[in-house]
Amino acid sequence: MKRKTRLIHGGIAGDPHTGAVSVPIYQVSTYKQEGVGGHKGFEYSRTGNPTRHALEELIKDIEGGQAGFAFGSGMAAITAVMMLFNSGDHVILTDDVYGGTYRVMTKVLNRLGIEATFVDTSNLENIEKEIRPTTKAIYLETPTNPLLKITDIQGAAAIAKQHNLLTIVDNTFSTPYWQTPIELGADIVLHSATKYLGGHSDVVAGLVVVNSAQLAQDLHFVQNSTGGVLGPQDSWLLMRGIKTLGIRMEEHEANTRKIVEFLVNHPQVEKVYYPGLETHPNHEIAKKQASGFGGMVSFDVGSQEKADQVLNSVKYFTLAESLGAVESLISVPAKMTHASIPKERREELGITDGLIRISVGIEDVEDLIEDLTAALS
Ligand SMILES: *Cc1c(COP(=O)(O)O)cnc(C)c1O
């Protein structure tokens, strides 16, 4: 099966009981048992729900793993994955991970004794230097948010295997349409499905795919024990979103390419961050490990005043957190998504007050460029 076909025919097709082409929303908490323990695969909806199960089978198929899991948000998914570790375990993470990931590692999971070190994983040597006897995993986000840095997944997974560590990849930005980390050697792939997978700014969800029967058993145990599951209605909405992921990603990509070209040539723009640019330091790896570069672009206009001016002038770019939906969104990471990262650390990373991030939607690109032209003038 090719990619777009798998998005539509992967997982569980329709409903065998009625012939319904779309998987029904099983809005139910419990299931009748024919005698104690005599159930039809479902006992209680925290443990398993048919609609959520269909979504979990679908994400498993499109990421090419062994089992899928759906959670109430991306952060719930990330937290559940971290619950695979014990007090005293150490995880090495990409330094400009999603702000919420940084926060949960440094303000919540640290209290439970899970230690984190953040390094620039786009240079693999930085990972090796931080491996300790207690290190259990390498956690990558690639491309990163908002600087679009790229880590060589295959290279990192090879280091992980050598030291008997798990490789975990947050694949939110690329989606399995462009990048399938398990094929590159990752053990666990996770998503904020709130973004491209949902695609319509109408659902908050998280997904995880694991690549072994043991991890599947362990993560199901955590999911059922801690209970951060996705409800049936939202599971259904996500399946609906995923069906059009392919055509949406193609449009995001085509629009983004034109916008990047516009930004690179604009005199008010000091710097453009996009892995599709040949001048991007990790362009070759991006090209090798993903079949598309995605719809996220960041650019620096030099100062907070100029950034404010752009944000206040645009009309088709909605000022909002989040990304990956059909409508174009614009944000200033330093003041919004990355506000939970201390200022000194932000500046170390290059997340300046003049840095603008856009999530390019699937509107007509001529309108988007006209909008940016006016806002930058
Ligand atoms: C949004 C996001 C998350 C968190 O997901 P939620 O669904 O908001 O909980 C994690 N990783 C990345 C890359 C994200 O963009």
Side-chain angles (χ1 to χ4, degrees):
M1 236 190 282
K2 292 208 164 55
R3 283 181 303 173
K4 283 194 199 116
T5 312
R6 193 178 299 128
L7 294 172
I8 292 163
H9 294 284
I12 292 169
D15 175 32
H17 307 295
T18 61
V21 169
S22 153
V23 174
I25 300 169
Y26 284 90
Q27 193 71 48
V28 63
S29 62
T30 193
Y31 306 80
K32 182 181 172 190
Q33 303 193 3
E34 308 291 342
V36 178
H39 56 78
K40 298 175 171 156
F42 296 98
E43 304 162 75
Y44 184 65
S45 282
R46 168 161 39 73
T47 315
N49 169 282
T51 315
R52 193 179 89 223
H53 178 65
L55 168 66
E56 292 174 333
E57 288 293 294
L58 177 61
I59 191 67
K60 175 195 84 176
D61 281 359
I62 63 184
E63 285 286 7
Q66 295 274 326
F69 300 89
F71 295 89
S73 69
M75 287 320 303
I78 292 166
T79 304
V81 166
M82 291 299 170
M83 288 289 126
L84 295 171
F85 304 116
N86 298 309
S87 177
D89 287 352
H90 172 241
V91 182
I92 299 168
L93 297 94
T94 302
D95 58 2
D96 57 346
V97 279
Y98 178 71
T101 306
Y102 182 78
R103 181 172 54 196
V104 79
M105 295 307 300
T106 59
K107 299 246 163 73
V108 180
L109 295 169
N110 64 318
R111 293 196 275 107
L112 307 180
I114 296 171
E115 293 179 54
T117 302
F118 298 87
V119 298
D120 180 353
T121 53
S122 67
N123 179 353
L124 295 178
E125 283 172 19
N126 294 336
I127 299 177
E128 278 199 289
K129 274 189 239 156
E130 295 298 335
I131 296 173
R132 321 172 183 166
T134 55
T135 306
K136 290 286 163 15
I138 301 171
Y139 180 107
L140 308 173
E141 200 175 301
T142 181
T144 61
N145 176 19
L147 296 175
L148 290 312
K149 282 199 287 195
I150 303 289
T151 296
D152 176 352
I153 298 173
Q154 207 160 22
I159 294 171
K161 290 227 156 62
Q162 236 172 32
H163 295 85
N164 210 14
L165 316 176
L166 292 176
T167 304
I168 306 168
V169 180
D170 181 334
N171 202 27
T172 301
F173 271 39
S174 278
T175 82
Y177 188 71
W178 294 136
Q179 173 173 286
T180 43
I182 285 175
E183 265 173 41
L184 298 166
D187 302 287
I188 302 179
V189 182
L190 57 87
H191 287 276
S192 169
T194 313
K195 316 294 167 53
Y196 287 107
L197 296 178
H200 296 75
S201 305
D202 54 12
V203 61
V204 172
L207 294 173
V208 182
V209 176
V210 300
N211 197 29
S212 79
Q214 186 61 50
L215 283 172
Q217 193 183 328
D218 294 348
L219 191 61
H220 185 258
F221 185 80
V222 170
Q223 185 191 40
N224 189 40
S225 301
T226 58
V229 294
L230 190 66
Q233 179 93 35
D234 286 348
S235 296
W236 182 87
L237 263 176
L238 259 190
M239 284 190 279
R240 179 178 153 126
I242 288 170
K243 286 186 213 289
T244 57
L245 180 69
I247 54 168
R248 285 189 285 107
M249 292 313 283
E250 296 284 357
E251 283 298 297
H252 285 300
E253 179 93 5
N255 280 359
T256 305
R257 212 171 302 133
K258 293 198 178 120
I259 287 176
V260 165
E261 195 185 305
F262 163 81
L263 290 171
V264 164
N265 292 310
H266 199 288
Q268 295 291 326
V269 176
E270 295 183 359
K271 198 159 183 199
V272 180
Y273 298 88
Y274 187 64
L277 282 170
E278 271 172 38
T279 52
H280 185 288
N282 317 119
H283 175 69
E284 287 307 316
I285 291 161
K287 220 165 57 176
K288 192 180 101 196
Q289 71 186 11
S291 47
F293 302 109
M296 300 300 299
V297 192
S298 293
F299 58 102
D300 206 320
V301 291
S303 70
Q304 192 186 332
E305 293 70 43
K306 284 189 187 163
D308 283 346
Q309 186 211 318
V310 172
L311 263 61
N312 293 331
S313 322
V314 283
K315 51 181 199 224
Y316 298 128
F317 287 85
T318 305
L319 176 61
E321 298 204 0
S322 199
L323 60 105
V326 290
E327 53 280 288
S328 293
L329 300 178
I330 192 163
S331 69
V332 178
K335 294 268 136 42
M336 300 169 70
T337 43
H338 290 63
S340 57
I341 298 179
K343 188 174 166 71
E344 317 85 75
R345 177 150 178 79
R346 274 203 311 266
E347 284 179 354
E348 252 169 53
L349 297 171
I351 306 171
T352 61
D353 290 346
L355 188 76
I356 296 174
R357 185 190 83 176
I358 54 177
S359 169
V360 179
I362 61 171
E363 300 93 337
D364 283 307
V365 72
E366 293 78 9
D367 286 330
L368 299 178
I369 289 178
E370 192 184 295
D371 202 13
L372 288 172
T373 305
L376 282 163
S377 68

